[in-house]
Amino acid sequence: MLAWALLSAVLWSLVGVGSQRSSLFNNKGFVYGMVGDPVNSQINITNTGELVLKNFMESLSGHYACTLSYKTIKAETQEETTIKKKYDFLVFAYREPDYSYRMAVRFTTNSCVGRYNDLLFRVLKKILDNLISDLLCHVIEPSYKCHFIKIPERDFVHELFIAFQVNPFAPGWKSVCNHSEDCEDITNHNILKARDRLEEFFRSQADILHHRFNRTIPAMHFVEHSFQVTRIDNCRPGFGKNEALHSNCASCCVVCSPGTFSPDADVTCQICVSAHVYGAKACP
C-alpha cells in the first residue's frame, strides 16, 4: 500500500481549564495554523510538523493537544481514507533559579566586650562590598555573635562568628539585563564570580585586617578553614519548585499551577483555591 500525506497538520490549543485565556487564542480557545505558516508571532508550525513557541510566557502554560489529520490512498483502488491522530501534552513555563550565597567566617578577638568587634564587623562588610560592587552584587543580612569557646589542645578563646548573604541584586542590577526580565544567566554568572572573589579573599588574605588596622584595634585574625559557603536558590514571584510534580526538572523554578500562587522569592508555590491562572503572584 502506498500512502502519503495529502493534508497539512491542524494545530489546536486549549490552555488550562478554568484559567484566563491568553490574547493569542480566539474566542473559542483555539489556535489554527498550516504547515510553514505562522499561527501568530509567538506560535508556529514548522515544515516538519514541529510546534515552536517563542517568548513563552506564564499564561501560555497548560494543556496542549495537537491533532494530525491526513489521507492515505490505496494505489490499486484509489480509495481514500482519512486518518486522525491526537497528541496531548502539558507545557509549563520555567526559569532557572536566582542564586545567592550564604557565607560564614570566624575571627579571633581579645574579648566579647568593647567596640572593636563592631568596628571589625563594619570594616569587613565594607571591604567585601567593594570587592564585588563592579559585579552589581552586594552583602545583605550581615550579623555576628561572639562566643567564648574551648579549642582542642588549647585554652579558651573568644571568637566572632560572622554570617552574611551575597546576592546579585545591588542597586542598578537591571542595567545588565538590557531591558529583559529574563536575565538570570547574567546575574547568576555575576554571583558566581562574586563567590570566587570572596573565597579568594579569605583564603589568601586571612590576616589582612590585622596588618591593616593593627595600630587602632587589637589583633584579630581570620580563623583558618572557617570559611563556609552555601548556595541558596530563589524563584521569582509566580514560580516555585515541585520535585514530585516536575521530577525531570527538580532544580527548576516552574510556573505555579492553578490552585497555587507564590507572592515572593520563595521556592514553594502555596495553596490558593481561588487562583485560577498559571503563574499567580497573589491569592485573590
Side-chain angles (χ1 to χ4, degrees):
M1 179 185 293
L2 179 64
W4 60 90
L6 298 180
L7 296 182
S8 60
V10 176
L11 169 71
W12 64 271
S13 170
L14 175 62
V15 173
V17 177
S19 64
Q20 294 179 353
R21 291 192 177 100
S22 166
S23 60
L24 299 177
F25 305 105
N26 67 15
N27 292 334
K28 293 184 179 181
F30 296 98
V31 174
Y32 295 93
M34 303 296 291
V35 173
D37 295 327
V39 178
N40 53 55
S41 61
Q42 292 180 259
I43 302 178
N44 185 30
I45 305 174
T46 68
N47 290 327
T48 58
E50 292 180 321
L51 174 64
V52 178
L53 305 173
K54 298 180 180 180
N55 301 318
F56 195 85
M57 304 299 293
E58 300 99 299
S59 60
L60 293 179
S61 300
H63 171 232
Y64 282 75
C66 185
T67 300
L68 180 65
S69 178
Y70 62 95
K71 289 184 178 181
T72 61
I73 302 178
K74 289 184 179 180
E76 300 84 357
T77 64
Q78 297 297 305
E79 179 183 353
E80 295 185 359
T81 302
T82 300
I83 298 177
K84 292 184 178 182
K85 293 184 178 181
K86 181 181 177 182
Y87 303 90
D88 293 283
F89 49 96
L90 290 172
V91 178
F92 297 93
Y94 81 96
R95 63 191 309 151
E96 292 297 317
D98 293 311
Y99 301 157
S100 61
Y101 286 93
R102 189 69 180 171
M103 300 183 179
V105 294
R106 303 199 322 266
F107 279 80
T108 61
T109 181
N110 284 346
S111 172
C112 286
V113 180
R115 63 185 181 89
Y116 297 118
N117 295 335
D118 189 62
L119 176 60
L120 168 65
F121 178 70
R122 288 186 284 109
V123 169
L124 177 62
K125 181 183 182 303
K126 184 176 181 180
I127 291 175
L128 300 182
D129 274 330
N130 288 339
L131 281 173
I132 59 178
S133 61
D134 64 305
L135 300 172
L136 294 177
C137 298
H138 64 161
V139 172
I140 63 172
E141 301 179 8
S143 64
Y144 77 92
K145 292 184 178 179
C146 185
H147 296 284
F148 190 50
I149 63 175
K150 178 68 171 66
I151 304 297
E153 301 179 359
R154 292 177 56 188
D155 201 354
F156 283 90
V157 297
H158 295 89
E159 284 193 359
L160 296 177
F161 288 67
I162 301 174
F164 54 92
Q165 187 172 323
V166 180
N167 79 20
F169 304 118
W173 69 272
K174 290 186 177 181
S175 63
V176 304
C177 299
N178 297 321
H179 306 292
S180 171
E181 295 183 1
D182 300 322
C183 63
E184 55 265 32
D185 288 345
I186 298 174
T187 55
N188 285 345
H189 175 73
N190 287 346
I191 195 65
L192 288 173
K193 292 180 67 174
R195 179 202 63 185
D196 292 343
R197 287 187 190 179
L198 299 186
E199 186 174 4
E200 175 62 23
F201 169 78
F202 287 112
R203 182 174 60 245
S204 63
Q205 303 184 48
D207 60 346
I208 187 173
L209 296 177
H210 167 66
H211 291 303
R212 184 171 293 182
F213 303 110
N214 59 356
R215 293 184 181 181
T216 59
I217 63 175
M220 293 180 171
H221 300 282
F222 170 72
V223 176
E224 191 174 6
H225 306 304
S226 70
F227 178 75
Q228 297 179 344
V229 58
T230 304
R231 197 184 88 180
I232 301 173
D233 288 356
N234 296 300
C235 295
R236 301 285 176 92
F239 290 79
K241 291 185 178 183
N242 189 327
E243 185 174 356
L245 184 61
H246 306 291
S247 58
N248 60 334
C249 195
S251 64
C252 301
C253 292
V254 184
V255 65
C256 295
S257 298
T260 63
F261 79 109
S262 179
D264 47 33
D266 199 0
V267 294
T268 304
C269 295
Q270 305 173 33
I271 299 297
C272 176
V273 294
S274 59
H276 301 303
V277 298
Y278 283 90
K281 300 177 178 64
C283 185

PDB file of all heavy atoms in Angstrom, residues 232-247:
ATOM      1  N   ILE A 232      21.934  29.355  47.902  1.00  0.00           N
ATOM      2  CA  ILE A 232      20.514  29.482  48.177  1.00  0.00           C
ATOM      3  C   ILE A 232      19.802  29.775  46.862  1.00  0.00           C
ATOM      4  O   ILE A 232      20.186  30.693  46.134  1.00  0.00           O
ATOM      5  CB  ILE A 232      20.235  30.618  49.185  1.00  0.00           C
ATOM      6  CG1 ILE A 232      20.973  30.355  50.501  1.00  0.00           C
ATOM      7  CG2 ILE A 232      18.743  30.766  49.431  1.00  0.00           C
ATOM      8  CD1 ILE A 232      20.877  31.504  51.481  1.00  0.00           C
ATOM      9  N   ASP A 233      18.798  28.985  46.546  1.00  0.00           N
ATOM     10  CA  ASP A 233      18.003  29.207  45.328  1.00  0.00           C
ATOM     11  C   ASP A 233      16.748  29.996  45.660  1.00  0.00           C
ATOM     12  O   ASP A 233      16.080  29.724  46.661  1.00  0.00           O
ATOM     13  CB  ASP A 233      17.611  27.876  44.695  1.00  0.00           C
ATOM     14  CG  ASP A 233      18.789  27.171  44.051  1.00  0.00           C
ATOM     15  OD1 ASP A 233      19.887  27.756  44.032  1.00  0.00           O
ATOM     16  OD2 ASP A 233      18.617  26.031  43.574  1.00  0.00           O
ATOM     17  N   ASN A 234      16.438  30.954  44.819  1.00  0.00           N
ATOM     18  CA  ASN A 234      15.202  31.722  44.943  1.00  0.00           C
ATOM     19  C   ASN A 234      14.460  31.692  43.611  1.00  0.00           C
ATOM     20  O   ASN A 234      15.077  31.718  42.544  1.00  0.00           O
ATOM     21  CB  ASN A 234      15.496  33.175  45.330  1.00  0.00           C
ATOM     22  CG  ASN A 234      16.128  33.293  46.697  1.00  0.00           C
ATOM     23  OD1 ASN A 234      15.551  32.888  47.689  1.00  0.00           O
ATOM     24  ND2 ASN A 234      17.329  33.852  46.757  1.00  0.00           N
ATOM     25  N   CYS A 235      13.143  31.627  43.690  1.00  0.00           N
ATOM     26  CA  CYS A 235      12.313  31.674  42.486  1.00  0.00           C
ATOM     27  C   CYS A 235      11.607  33.028  42.412  1.00  0.00           C
ATOM     28  O   CYS A 235      11.267  33.617  43.436  1.00  0.00           O
ATOM     29  CB  CYS A 235      11.272  30.561  42.500  1.00  0.00           C
ATOM     30  SG  CYS A 235      11.972  28.878  42.424  1.00  0.00           S
ATOM     31  N   ARG A 236      11.391  33.497  41.197  1.00  0.00           N
ATOM     32  CA  ARG A 236      10.667  34.746  41.009  1.00  0.00           C
ATOM     33  C   ARG A 236       9.196  34.550  41.409  1.00  0.00           C
ATOM     34  O   ARG A 236       8.686  33.429  41.395  1.00  0.00           O
ATOM     35  CB  ARG A 236      10.747  35.199  39.552  1.00  0.00           C
ATOM     36  CG  ARG A 236      12.176  35.426  39.036  1.00  0.00           C
ATOM     37  CD  ARG A 236      12.781  36.702  39.556  1.00  0.00           C
ATOM     38  NE  ARG A 236      14.171  36.845  39.127  1.00  0.00           N
ATOM     39  CZ  ARG A 236      14.544  37.487  38.012  1.00  0.00           C
ATOM     40  NH1 ARG A 236      13.623  38.029  37.237  1.00  0.00           N
ATOM     41  NH2 ARG A 236      15.812  37.592  37.702  1.00  0.00           N
ATOM     42  N   PRO A 237       8.499  35.623  41.768  1.00  0.00           N
ATOM     43  CA  PRO A 237       7.065  35.504  42.082  1.00  0.00           C
ATOM     44  C   PRO A 237       6.305  34.814  40.954  1.00  0.00           C
ATOM     45  O   PRO A 237       6.533  35.093  39.774  1.00  0.00           O
ATOM     46  CB  PRO A 237       6.629  36.963  42.253  1.00  0.00           C
ATOM     47  CG  PRO A 237       7.861  37.670  42.718  1.00  0.00           C
ATOM     48  CD  PRO A 237       8.998  37.005  41.972  1.00  0.00           C
ATOM     49  N   GLY A 238       5.403  33.898  41.332  1.00  0.00           N
ATOM     50  CA  GLY A 238       4.647  33.141  40.342  1.00  0.00           C
ATOM     51  C   GLY A 238       5.299  31.836  39.944  1.00  0.00           C
ATOM     52  O   GLY A 238       4.737  31.073  39.150  1.00  0.00           O
ATOM     53  N   PHE A 239       6.495  31.556  40.500  1.00  0.00           N
ATOM     54  CA  PHE A 239       7.226  30.337  40.185  1.00  0.00           C
ATOM     55  C   PHE A 239       7.629  29.632  41.474  1.00  0.00           C
ATOM     56  O   PHE A 239       7.735  30.254  42.534  1.00  0.00           O
ATOM     57  CB  PHE A 239       8.486  30.639  39.370  1.00  0.00           C
ATOM     58  CG  PHE A 239       8.222  31.098  37.967  1.00  0.00           C
ATOM     59  CD1 PHE A 239       7.852  32.414  37.712  1.00  0.00           C
ATOM     60  CD2 PHE A 239       8.339  30.227  36.900  1.00  0.00           C
ATOM     61  CE1 PHE A 239       7.609  32.848  36.418  1.00  0.00           C
ATOM     62  CE2 PHE A 239       8.093  30.645  35.606  1.00  0.00           C
ATOM     63  CZ  PHE A 239       7.729  31.961  35.367  1.00  0.00           C
ATOM     64  N   GLY A 240       7.861  28.330  41.386  1.00  0.00           N
ATOM     65  CA  GLY A 240       8.304  27.577  42.549  1.00  0.00           C
ATOM     66  C   GLY A 240       8.845  26.226  42.125  1.00  0.00           C
ATOM     67  O   GLY A 240       8.736  25.815  40.966  1.00  0.00           O
ATOM     68  N   LYS A 241       9.430  25.509  43.069  1.00  0.00           N
ATOM     69  CA  LYS A 241       9.954  24.170  42.816  1.00  0.00           C
ATOM     70  C   LYS A 241       8.957  23.131  43.313  1.00  0.00           C
ATOM     71  O   LYS A 241       8.323  23.306  44.344  1.00  0.00           O
ATOM     72  CB  LYS A 241      11.299  23.970  43.524  1.00  0.00           C
ATOM     73  CG  LYS A 241      12.434  24.792  42.958  1.00  0.00           C
ATOM     74  CD  LYS A 241      13.740  24.423  43.638  1.00  0.00           C
ATOM     75  CE  LYS A 241      14.922  25.190  43.067  1.00  0.00           C
ATOM     76  NZ  LYS A 241      16.202  24.780  43.684  1.00  0.00           N
ATOM     77  N   ASN A 242       8.863  22.039  42.568  1.00  0.00           N
ATOM     78  CA  ASN A 242       7.992  20.940  42.967  1.00  0.00           C
ATOM     79  C   ASN A 242       8.586  19.656  42.397  1.00  0.00           C
ATOM     80  O   ASN A 242       8.299  19.260  41.267  1.00  0.00           O
ATOM     81  CB  ASN A 242       6.568  21.147  42.465  1.00  0.00           C
ATOM     82  CG  ASN A 242       5.594  20.134  43.045  1.00  0.00           C
ATOM     83  OD1 ASN A 242       5.935  18.985  43.303  1.00  0.00           O
ATOM     84  ND2 ASN A 242       4.366  20.572  43.252  1.00  0.00           N
ATOM     85  N   GLU A 243       9.431  19.003  43.190  1.00  0.00           N
ATOM     86  CA  GLU A 243      10.133  17.812  42.716  1.00  0.00           C
ATOM     87  C   GLU A 243       9.169  16.677  42.402  1.00  0.00           C
ATOM     88  O   GLU A 243       9.401  15.882  41.485  1.00  0.00           O
ATOM     89  CB  GLU A 243      11.153  17.369  43.766  1.00  0.00           C
ATOM     90  CG  GLU A 243      12.028  16.206  43.318  1.00  0.00           C
ATOM     91  CD  GLU A 243      13.118  15.887  44.303  1.00  0.00           C
ATOM     92  OE1 GLU A 243      13.246  16.619  45.319  1.00  0.00           O
ATOM     93  OE2 GLU A 243      13.857  14.906  44.073  1.00  0.00           O
ATOM     94  N   ALA A 244       8.071  16.574  43.161  1.00  0.00           N
ATOM     95  CA  ALA A 244       7.112  15.493  42.924  1.00  0.00           C
ATOM     96  C   ALA A 244       6.400  15.663  41.591  1.00  0.00           C
ATOM     97  O   ALA A 244       6.208  14.697  40.839  1.00  0.00           O
ATOM     98  CB  ALA A 244       6.100  15.445  44.066  1.00  0.00           C
ATOM     99  N   LEU A 245       6.005  16.894  41.266  1.00  0.00           N
ATOM    100  CA  LEU A 245       5.262  17.154  40.033  1.00  0.00           C
ATOM    101  C   LEU A 245       6.180  17.292  38.828  1.00  0.00           C
ATOM    102  O   LEU A 245       5.816  16.914  37.709  1.00  0.00           O
ATOM    103  CB  LEU A 245       4.416  18.424  40.190  1.00  0.00           C
ATOM    104  CG  LEU A 245       3.500  18.799  39.024  1.00  0.00           C
ATOM    105  CD1 LEU A 245       2.475  17.694  38.771  1.00  0.00           C
ATOM    106  CD2 LEU A 245       2.800  20.126  39.298  1.00  0.00           C
ATOM    107  N   HIS A 246       7.385  17.842  39.048  1.00  0.00           N
ATOM    108  CA  HIS A 246       8.316  18.095  37.941  1.00  0.00           C
ATOM    109  C   HIS A 246       9.651  17.422  38.245  1.00  0.00           C
ATOM    110  O   HIS A 246      10.696  18.073  38.356  1.00  0.00           O
ATOM    111  CB  HIS A 246       8.509  19.596  37.742  1.00  0.00           C
ATOM    112  CG  HIS A 246       7.240  20.351  37.552  1.00  0.00           C
ATOM    113  ND1 HIS A 246       6.455  20.236  36.429  1.00  0.00           N
ATOM    114  CD2 HIS A 246       6.590  21.235  38.360  1.00  0.00           C
ATOM    115  CE1 HIS A 246       5.390  21.022  36.539  1.00  0.00           C
ATOM    116  NE2 HIS A 246       5.454  21.630  37.697  1.00  0.00           N
ATOM    117  N   SER A 247       9.625  16.107  38.373  1.00  0.00           N
ATOM    118  CA  SER A 247      10.833  15.362  38.745  1.00  0.00           C
ATOM    119  C   SER A 247      11.912  15.428  37.674  1.00  0.00           C
ATOM    120  O   SER A 247      13.091  15.259  37.969  1.00  0.00           O
ATOM    121  CB  SER A 247      10.477  13.891  39.025  1.00  0.00           C
ATOM    122  OG  SER A 247       9.859  13.296  37.886  1.00  0.00           O
TER     123      SER A 247
END
